[in-house]
Amino acid sequence: MSFVLRAVLVIGALSYFAAQRDAPDAGPRAAAVSPASLWNALPPDLRERAIREAAAEATRQVAGATSSRDTLAAADRRPAWRGVDAP
């Protein structure tokens, strides 16, 4: 029964939003803003700081990718002991 109720709710919501989208007076829509204009709207000191932090994060990720993340000990890599050791 809950599946039917959820399905009716989803179908109803989609139908409502489709009708709102096609309405001529759907209300004001946000103007498309390019990322470049947003970037240029930032103060210069904030832009420089963002660039420095992004470069530092990229450096940390590259350095972390080259370092080993292996957590096994040397004893863990050896095969399991089988049988008697040769004298």
Side-chain angles (χ1 to χ4, degrees):
M1 182 67 176
S2 67
F3 172 77
V4 174
L5 291 175
R6 280 189 249 155
V8 168
L9 179 66
V10 169
I11 292 169
L14 291 175
S15 299
Y16 171 77
F17 288 128
Q20 291 297 316
R21 183 185 67 193
D22 294 337
D25 59 346
R29 297 199 177 189
V33 179
S34 71
S37 64
L38 291 175
W39 180 255
N40 291 333
L42 292 174
D45 58 330
L46 187 59
R47 280 186 283 190
E48 290 176 20
R49 191 174 96 205
I51 290 172
R52 276 188 264 115
E53 289 178 4
E57 180 63 26
T59 304
R60 279 193 298 272
Q61 288 182 1
V62 168
T66 58
S67 66
S68 175
R69 295 183 183 185
D70 189 10
T71 58
L72 292 176
D76 295 331
R77 289 190 193 92
R78 283 185 289 191
W81 178 76
R82 293 184 187 99
V84 178
D85 284 335

